[in-house]
Amino acid sequence: MHRPLLEARRVDITTLAVDAIVNAANAGLLGGGGVDGAIHRAAGPQLLAACRTLGGCPTGEARLTAGYRLPARWVIHTVGPVWQGGSAGEADALARCYRNSLALAETLQLRTLAFPAISCGVYGYPWEAATAIAVREVRAQLPRTRTLRAVLFACFSAEMLALYERALAAPP
């Protein structure tokens, strides 16, 4: 049984040569701001065309497209919850984003996967809580994977990197 590498780095997710990157998408999957817009710009117009065929994606679920002009072969699109104060099921929805993205990666027999900080941009999820959920869910799913060898949390800022490093250093 292998133990996949789990790490955080301050890096632009659109530059990563991994099997798949996860896109923190909106429900329409038609691009937007933040990481979603950056991924769409880097992948090129074919990504938007492919997303239009998917019929959207409910919060917590995941959909797949090719990576097109990205170094990553695949893009797993997941829709995180909008923060509404914490009593509207946001934590469960965010956890499902990670579980469903990892399940899709396993179905594809991917070896390397990179996540952004889902829901931490315009969706307003508190960063510390979001990073704790991300690390908890990925750690819980990794022992069940057969093919994943490395999961990277791609951090957009030094502050986000510090939060992921703290969550990764905490005992499971």
Side-chain angles (χ1 to χ4, degrees):
M1 188 75 170
H2 69 282
R3 286 185 57 97
L5 175 66
L6 185 57
E7 68 174 326
R9 277 191 277 158
R10 186 171 179 191
V11 62
D12 177 348
I13 198 168
T14 68
T15 67
L16 295 173
V18 293
D19 292 336
I21 61 172
V22 176
N23 180 18
N26 58 50
L29 300 181
L30 302 180
V35 71
D36 187 20
I39 288 171
H40 273 266
R41 284 188 298 278
Q46 302 96 330
L47 181 62
L48 180 58
C51 286
R52 282 195 169 118
T53 69
L54 298 176
C57 182
T59 299
E61 292 188 18
R63 301 290 185 266
L64 180 72
T65 64
Y68 300 101
R69 295 191 322 215
L70 292 163
R73 181 173 179 201
W74 302 104
V75 177
I76 297 172
H77 307 266
T78 191
V79 180
V82 174
W83 181 254
Q84 298 175 49
S87 59
E90 297 98 312
D92 182 57
L94 186 57
R96 286 195 323 271
C97 289
Y98 289 94
R99 288 194 301 266
N100 288 325
S101 295
L102 287 162
L104 195 48
E106 183 68 13
T107 299
L108 293 167
Q109 298 184 347
L110 303 183
R111 296 175 61 83
T112 54
L113 179 65
F115 283 100
I118 299 168
S119 287
C120 290
V122 296
Y123 283 15
Y125 211 106
W127 289 9
E128 191 165 357
T131 56
I133 290 168
V135 170
R136 181 192 75 216
E137 291 302 319
V138 172
R139 276 184 174 155
Q141 298 302 313
L142 284 182
R144 298 180 184 101
T145 68
R146 297 179 322 274
T147 61
L148 273 174
R149 297 292 180 256
V151 175
L152 173 68
F153 294 108
C155 302
F156 57 83
S157 70
E159 183 181 357
M160 184 61 72
L161 176 60
L163 289 169
Y164 269 104
E165 287 175 338
R166 189 174 319 138
L168 287 165

